Amino acid sequence: MKTELKEMLASLNSPAEWVGLRHVAEDSRSFQVRDERVEAVNQGISEGVMVEVLVDGQFHYSATADVSKDGIARAHNRAMALAEFSKGWSLAKFSLDQRPKAVGSYASKTSQTLDQLGMQELIALLVDSTKAMKTSDEIVSRVAYAQNAVTNMTYVSSNGSEFDQTFSHNFSHLSATAQRGSDVQTRTNGMDVSQSGYEFFDREHMTAESVRIGEQVLELLDAENCPEDTRDLLLAPSQLYLQIHESIGHPLELDRILGDERNYAGWSFIGLEDFGKLQYGSDLLNVTFDPTVSGELASYMFDDTGVKAEKEYLIKDGKLLRGLGSLESQSRANVPGVACARSTSWNRPALDRMANINIEAGTSSMSDMISSVEKGVFMDTNKSWSIDDYRNKFQFGCEYAKLIENGEITKTVKNPNYRGVCTPFWSNLKMVGNGDNFEVWGSFFCGKAEPNQVIRVGHATPHCLFSDIEVFGGAR
Amino acid sequence: MTSQEWVKNKKQAFAELSENLFSALKSDEQVTLSVSGEDSLYCRFSQSKVRQPSRVDQVALGMSFIVNNCELKKSMVLSGDVDKDTRKLMSLVESARKEAAILPETPFIVEPKNLASSDEDVLLAESNGERLLPEMVKPLQSVDAAGLLADGIVFRGNQNSLGQKHWFSNESFYVDYSLYSSKQKAVKACYADTKWDQAAFEANVSDATNQLSHMRLPTQEVKRGNYKTYLAPAAVNELLGLLNWGGWSAQAFKTGRSSLKELAEGNRKFSQKMNITEDFSLGLSPKFNSFGEVADDKLSVIDQGELKTLLVSSKTAEEYSDLEGNRASAGEGLRSAVMGTGSLDRADILSALGTGLYVSNLHYLNYSDLPKARVTGMTRFACFWVENGEIKGPIKDLRFDETVYNIFGDKLVDLTSFAETQPVIGTYEQRAIGGSRVPGILVDEMAYTL
């Protein structure tokens, strides 16, 4: 594809200061089984090119699924027409500095294809997973889902960039819902994701997870509501990943801080003046932008504008150092950023996005953390999330919780929720788990931008303990 | 190329592609094709200046392929070259045939039927086009505005191997935007129509700018607690939107995932003042669904507070013998919701509220206890503290946590005598279509928790 794109680029004879062509092709497969019966076997293929032109210091975009020479020429002309009509109204002035030359190649590490695993075996695995969840007649629904998406991106530009990246992203979801009278409880494996091949759908792992889910959902039916008070909160990575996402990742996006997202996703409680100064959390908090972690969902070599991806500390010893901003946002904000200009596919422009945003491991074992708690609660697996448009006041719900009393895990409680405000919450971080309780999570579904885009992100973290958090249960 | 010519080309390409496929099917194979497309101009803007203008020309094709009691779903993006697209589609059909031969049966298949066809185009003689870029930003130069302009043609089509055909296209625009004061307080506005009218847009901006003047009053500190609340139509629409996450779905009810479980079981009711109807006379959404079925013009969902019916797709009706399908969409959500009005006139809203919160918009709603229909979310944009019928000033954003049964039921005082149309402004993957028409509501007490 690279050779064809270079030929098309040359044939455009564009009057623009710079032209980029980003070709994206994706083949996505998903499979769903409910109650041991096949519910969906889907495949989606997509291919297109985003033509990007720099005219009068503004980038203009035109997307087409017609990847022929004529199709790309038409898209180029439409981008040039936009440049004509928006002349003089640009928000910012850009140059080739925001589109560095990039040459290279990247591919996810994979060891098994769908053909090698076998579609029949994958379906059988999902059927068996729902079977393993059937631990009682009170379980009214059992779902097993598997998805793989292989995405190939090729990028060429008039200043000599030429690179390609191939990603293989996976997602599995297991869910059991149980009902007793008016009470309904659902237990899942959360959002289990990775960058790998079909070896991700491992029979032993998925069966064990299904058995656990089937047992714990019944535990929840027997459980009392989570208490309503203020106490220590031990969060599992299956919840903490979304806490990182919503209350560290989004507020640090420079385009939000600059106001571009005010009308949709929102603004940020962070100001540009906070970088290098603000104590975001306790000195145990170390957060990195790291698209180099093998197997984590948002690892890559270059972002969608050709910037080389490297690990950077966003927060070190609790202090805010760096934002999630592309070269475009960095030039407008004059604060340091990262290689994070990403787009959902060929039909949308790249903008400031999370990639892998991780909490670095600390030194505490699980037993260290639990034994330190006199009155607390351990919450596991995200169920509900909501945060204000400044990314400050949040509320999360989890599927499953255990009380911690006098240094020991005791009884299960249901409908656990907690709420708080961003920097006070992270300032109450009092213990950070070590590598033994560190887990890699992520999401296929981070939404942002106008026009809207959804993107895949990774979040890795150990278990973490917070003090003095407001917790509460379900409706009375 | 005119809009009529563009749509005609797309319609013809879809017809040719369908015919190429249907003529190659074996006697035991059935197919339903769905198509959705757009030719859109998008312009994101901030600080009243243009940021990331883009054009998108795209058409997505979905296929339900049925053979030997096995259904496979395939989708692809069309290039516009019918020969090339046919080759790609036939390769998907070939893989579907191979997969159907080795996979277990798929239960509860909705087989295609040939009941009725439809064809509806609402297009402009002359498209708005790129000239909207300068015309949109000029009236915004005296304020700080951020938002999105979306303009162009969207279409939906459906055709099956038994000969049934549906088509719906629409050409329209919206400017979904917000204005900001120097203290970063904001008001929300939307200008949506088919043909751009510069004077109408300038009036829209002028109205929003006037509203912004209320935001210059001193900010009021409101502590957590229970307050009487007026929810403006946009805020009510957010609540209605959340209920589309499984609330009305018969499938969700049967599998324990419905937030309106207690309503569906008859254990809870909304206020007798509450009426909700699926009403396609709004004209914002096609009446046909992805199965190719045409919905009734109107379907009463809530009548005087009682649930009349859940939304039941034909697939769900196949699975559960005690349910009768009502040609709902596959997702079983409301596509064109209309909430009935009440008796509260616009001029009486503040006096009826007395002392409490005037909430124009809500943000980021989610369930904090799904089976009990308890919802949390944030106030957003122009929200005010009102005392004795007088606006005292804007508030800092508050988090609420309250059940839908209180908001639409026990604590509902009245609905406004007017309703506002709320077009769907989503643009994930493609520009969405559809909308709703809802009034504002006055609630005696809502719980604010943070």
Side-chain angles (χ1 to χ4, degrees):
Chain A
M1 196 68 217
K2 208 185 290 179
T3 304
E4 292 166 87
L5 281 181
K6 284 166 68 177
E7 287 172 3
M8 290 180 195
L9 181 65
S11 71
L12 290 174
N13 288 319
S14 177
E17 295 153 45
W18 175 91
V19 183
L21 301 180
R22 178 165 47 85
H23 174 271
V24 180
E26 180 162 294
D27 187 343
S28 178
R29 296 274 191 155
S30 64
F31 308 86
Q32 181 158 305
V33 169
R34 179 162 59 90
D35 300 339
E36 296 152 50
R37 292 186 293 225
V38 176
E39 192 162 63
V41 178
N42 298 344
Q43 179 183 16
I45 56 174
S46 166
E47 182 185 15
V49 168
M50 176 61 87
V51 180
E52 192 178 354
V53 299
L54 176 64
V55 179
D56 293 329
Q58 168 92 293
F59 292 104
H60 304 81
Y61 301 82
S62 180
T64 180
D66 181 354
V67 299
S68 68
K69 187 176 166 184
D70 288 347
I72 288 176
R74 274 193 294 274
H76 167 266
N77 292 342
R78 279 156 65 99
M80 293 302 292
L82 285 176
E84 181 63 28
F85 281 92
S86 64
K87 197 172 185 176
W89 298 106
S90 302
L91 176 61
K93 196 88 174 165
F94 299 117
S95 69
L96 263 64
D97 290 346
Q98 282 76 48
R99 294 294 184 275
K101 181 179 174 181
V103 178
S105 188
Y106 171 91
S108 303
K109 288 179 184 164
T110 63
S111 61
Q112 195 173 42
T113 64
L114 177 59
D115 284 343
Q116 288 167 328
L117 173 63
M119 195 178 288
Q120 288 163 293
E121 166 53 21
L122 181 55
I123 291 289
L125 170 58
L126 298 178
V127 169
D128 292 345
S129 295
T130 63
K131 203 179 286 180
M133 291 180 220
K134 184 72 176 173
T135 51
S136 159
D137 287 343
E138 289 182 310
I139 295 182
V140 294
S141 175
R142 297 157 285 130
V143 176
Y145 175 83
Q147 183 181 348
N148 170 267
V150 175
T151 311
N152 185 274
M153 186 263 247
T154 308
Y155 179 96
V156 301
S157 72
S158 57
N159 61 333
S161 284
E162 48 178 287
F163 66 87
D164 58 71
Q165 306 191 94
T166 301
F167 306 100
S168 176
H169 293 128
N170 296 305
F171 170 24
S172 88
H173 188 64
L174 304 167
S175 169
T177 298
Q179 190 167 315
R180 183 184 296 160
S182 65
D183 193 13
V184 181
Q185 294 292 324
T186 296
R187 188 73 175 109
T188 76
N189 67 334
M191 194 173 285
D192 200 1
V193 295
S194 85
Q195 191 170 144
S196 60
Y198 276 83
E199 67 276 10
F200 173 73
F201 304 106
D202 176 71
R203 177 170 278 277
E204 190 178 343
H205 172 71
M206 289 181 71
T207 303
E209 284 289 274
S210 299
V211 170
R212 178 178 67 86
I213 287 164
E215 291 169 350
Q216 289 185 341
V217 75
L218 295 179
E219 256 184 76
L220 289 169
L221 282 186
D222 292 331
E224 296 171 11
N225 246 328
C226 179
E228 182 168 355
D229 58 20
T230 298
R231 58 176 61 209
D232 285 358
L233 175 63
L234 178 60
L235 288 180
S238 56
Q239 162 56 30
L240 198 46
Y241 88 92
L242 201 61
Q243 179 77 54
I244 297 166
H245 180 91
E246 304 291 2
S247 71
I248 294 179
H250 280 307
L252 298 195
E253 291 163 348
L254 290 186
D255 60 349
R256 289 183 75 116
I257 297 169
L258 287 164
D260 294 359
E261 283 286 311
R262 287 175 293 176
N263 185 60
Y264 179 64
W267 222 327
S268 174
F269 72 93
I270 296 295
L272 294 176
E273 67 282 3
D274 291 327
F275 290 95
K277 294 176 187 159
L278 179 73
Q279 193 68 25
Y280 205 94
S282 80
D283 57 9
L284 294 174
L285 183 63
N286 289 289
V287 181
T288 56
F289 169 90
D290 192 359
T292 68
V293 179
S294 179
E296 195 167 355
L297 203 58
S299 291
Y300 49 84
M301 179 177 278
F302 298 105
D303 75 5
D304 288 2
T305 60
V307 180
K308 183 87 163 57
E310 292 170 339
K311 178 177 179 176
E312 301 283 1
Y313 271 84
L314 303 173
I315 297 170
K316 193 163 177 50
D317 302 329
K319 184 185 278 189
L320 177 63
L321 298 180
R322 187 179 286 268
L324 290 169
S326 63
L327 290 180
E328 288 177 39
S329 292
Q330 289 174 52
S331 74
R332 292 168 61 197
N334 198 28
V335 298
V338 293
C340 68
R342 305 175 66 202
S343 59
T344 184
S345 189
W346 57 270
N347 58 0
R348 294 285 185 265
L351 69 155
D352 294 353
R353 285 306 223 151
M354 286 176 243
N356 299 326
I357 310 295
N358 304 336
I359 292 182
E360 299 290 302
T363 58
S364 300
S365 67
M366 283 296 283
S367 59
D368 289 340
M369 290 188 278
I370 292 165
S371 63
S372 75
V373 175
E374 189 180 324
K375 185 179 88 168
V377 60
F378 165 69
M379 294 192 192
D380 190 16
T381 314
N382 178 262
K383 181 166 74 173
S384 170
W385 61 98
S386 175
I387 189 164
D388 70 32
D389 57 324
Y390 284 80
R391 297 280 151 170
N392 203 19
K393 290 180 178 180
F394 59 79
Q395 179 169 313
F396 289 98
C398 293
E399 291 177 359
Y400 182 84
K402 289 268 194 184
L403 294 185
I404 307 174
E405 297 168 300
N406 300 317
E408 291 186 351
I409 293 272
T410 58
K411 62 185 178 185
T412 303
V413 290
K414 67 185 176 185
N415 305 320
N417 291 270
Y418 67 97
R419 60 172 81 98
V421 179
C422 206
T423 49
F425 175 81
W426 288 108
S427 296
N428 285 1
L429 173 65
K430 69 174 185 179
M431 294 180 87
V432 176
N434 59 26
D436 291 342
N437 57 73
F438 185 91
E439 297 174 11
V440 178
W441 288 80
S443 172
F444 262 47
F445 308 111
C446 173
K448 184 183 171 182
E450 296 172 301
N452 305 150
Q453 302 195 36
V454 68
I455 212 156
R456 297 160 192 162
V457 297
H459 301 300
T461 177
H463 289 64
C464 287
L465 180 64
F466 300 83
S467 58
D468 300 327
I469 306 297
E470 275 186 56
V471 304
F472 59 102
R476 293 189 185 93
Chain B
M1 190 186 295
T2 66
S3 301
Q4 282 79 6
E5 288 166 339
W6 189 87
V7 167
K8 186 179 171 188
N9 287 347
K10 297 295 182 189
K11 206 183 285 189
Q12 194 170 328
F14 180 44
E16 284 178 30
L17 184 66
S18 303
E19 187 49 43
N20 291 346
L21 168 62
F22 297 156
S23 63
L25 291 177
K26 297 173 184 172
S27 59
D28 59 346
E29 295 171 340
Q30 299 183 86
V31 165
T32 301
L33 293 176
S34 295
V35 71
S36 61
E38 67 178 325
D39 182 17
S40 291
L41 164 67
Y42 292 115
C43 183
R44 190 184 190 197
F45 56 95
S46 184
Q47 298 169 45
S48 304
K49 294 287 173 60
V50 170
R51 173 87 180 112
Q52 290 187 321
S54 62
R55 295 298 308 240
V56 182
D57 180 353
Q58 61 176 341
V59 182
L61 180 84
M63 172 175 67
S64 159
F65 180 87
I66 300 167
V67 64
N68 296 335
N69 297 319
C70 192
E71 180 182 28
L72 295 113
K73 289 190 174 169
K74 306 278 181 183
S75 65
M76 59 182 277
V77 171
L78 300 182
S79 71
D81 177 334
V82 174
D83 291 340
K84 182 181 172 186
D85 290 335
T86 300
R87 286 194 297 275
K88 207 177 248 188
L89 182 58
M90 288 312 300
S91 78
L92 288 176
V93 168
E94 277 308 311
S95 61
R97 285 172 175 152
K98 287 177 189 164
E99 290 159 15
I102 60 170
L103 292 176
E105 290 185 355
T106 318
F108 321 123
I109 291 173
V110 181
E111 297 193 345
K113 299 180 181 69
N114 187 359
L115 298 174
S117 294
S118 66
D119 191 336
E120 182 181 4
D121 292 314
V122 184
L123 301 169
L124 298 174
E126 186 186 354
S127 295
N128 294 309
E130 288 91 349
R131 70 181 175 85
L132 291 198
L133 290 178
E135 292 191 9
M136 175 198 62
V137 291
K138 277 177 196 166
L140 298 171
Q141 292 312 298
S142 60
V143 289
D144 176 9
L148 177 73
L149 161 71
D151 172 69
I153 306 163
V154 292
F155 68 84
R156 301 289 184 267
N158 186 285
Q159 196 156 337
N160 67 34
S161 50
L162 297 183
Q164 181 174 274
K165 299 174 184 175
H166 293 293
W167 183 268
F168 174 91
S169 74
N170 180 294
E171 187 171 15
S172 62
F173 70 85
Y174 62 77
V175 186
D176 180 70
Y177 68 104
S178 41
L179 301 183
Y180 295 81
S181 72
S182 56
K183 292 186 177 174
Q184 302 177 359
K185 293 291 181 186
V187 297
K188 178 84 175 171
C190 185
Y191 172 52
D193 209 331
T194 51
K195 187 73 185 166
W196 183 268
D197 180 334
Q198 188 69 11
F201 180 57
E202 286 172 7
N204 188 284
V205 173
S206 178
D207 283 350
T209 306
N210 288 338
Q211 287 176 38
L212 197 60
S213 64
H214 289 300
M215 304 304 286
R216 298 200 176 94
L217 292 166
T219 300
Q220 304 293 302
E221 289 288 341
V222 180
K223 292 181 178 163
R224 59 175 88 184
N226 295 339
Y227 298 108
K228 194 170 184 179
T229 300
Y230 170 70
L231 296 172
V236 176
N237 193 49
E238 284 289 320
L239 287 164
L240 208 52
L242 184 70
L243 293 178
N244 260 2
W245 288 16
W248 310 110
S249 162
Q251 172 74 239
F253 174 67
K254 287 288 190 180
T255 54
R257 294 176 290 110
S258 171
S259 58
L260 297 178
K261 168 182 158 60
E262 294 189 324
L263 185 77
E265 289 172 341
N267 297 326
R268 298 296 297 262
K269 289 180 183 175
F270 290 163
S271 161
Q272 285 193 346
K273 295 175 180 174
M274 185 61 71
N275 297 285
I276 299 174
T277 306
E278 176 92 298
D279 184 349
F280 288 94
S281 68
L282 277 182
L284 298 171
S285 177
K287 285 167 63 181
F288 60 87
N289 61 17
S290 60
F291 303 114
E293 302 163 330
V294 179
D296 289 341
D297 288 340
K298 291 186 181 179
L299 176 71
S300 173
V301 179
I302 298 286
D303 182 31
Q304 295 185 51
E306 289 192 40
L307 183 78
K308 298 300 287 182
T309 181
L310 289 167
L311 298 178
V312 188
S313 74
S314 293
K315 189 173 180 66
T316 301
E318 285 282 336
E319 181 170 358
Y320 301 100
S321 57
D322 59 331
L323 291 175
E324 189 177 341
N326 48 28
R327 285 157 281 158
S329 66
E332 298 179 335
L334 289 170
R335 290 170 279 169
S336 192
V338 172
M339 184 182 283
T341 54
S343 61
L344 180 61
D345 291 337
R346 195 185 294 270
D348 298 330
I349 292 170
L350 290 179
S351 60
L353 175 60
T355 296
L357 288 162
Y358 183 108
V359 175
S360 64
N361 296 82
L362 293 173
H363 174 63
Y364 218 130
L365 305 192
N366 207 331
Y367 295 109
S368 60
D369 189 345
L370 185 141
K372 305 290 184 192
R374 193 179 70 187
V375 176
T376 188
M378 298 297 303
T379 63
R380 194 181 187 188
F381 297 117
C383 297
F384 303 100
W385 176 249
V386 176
E387 273 181 21
N388 301 319
E390 184 185 341
I391 290 177
K392 302 303 284 185
I395 60 166
K396 288 184 178 173
D397 290 337
L398 285 170
R399 171 168 296 287
F400 76 94
D401 201 343
E402 188 57 271
T403 70
V404 171
Y405 297 116
N406 278 344
I407 298 170
F408 287 168
D410 300 343
K411 305 287 185 184
L412 181 76
V413 178
D414 205 352
L415 302 96
T416 58
S417 56
F418 62 92
E420 294 178 2
T421 300
Q422 311 278 331
V424 170
I425 54 160
T427 47
Y428 284 106
E429 296 183 354
Q430 285 190 12
R431 194 175 154 195
I433 55 175
S436 57
R437 187 164 175 80
V438 295
I441 62 173
L442 186 63
V443 184
D444 193 41
E445 189 178 76
M446 272 181 69
Y448 294 87
T449 56
L450 191 62

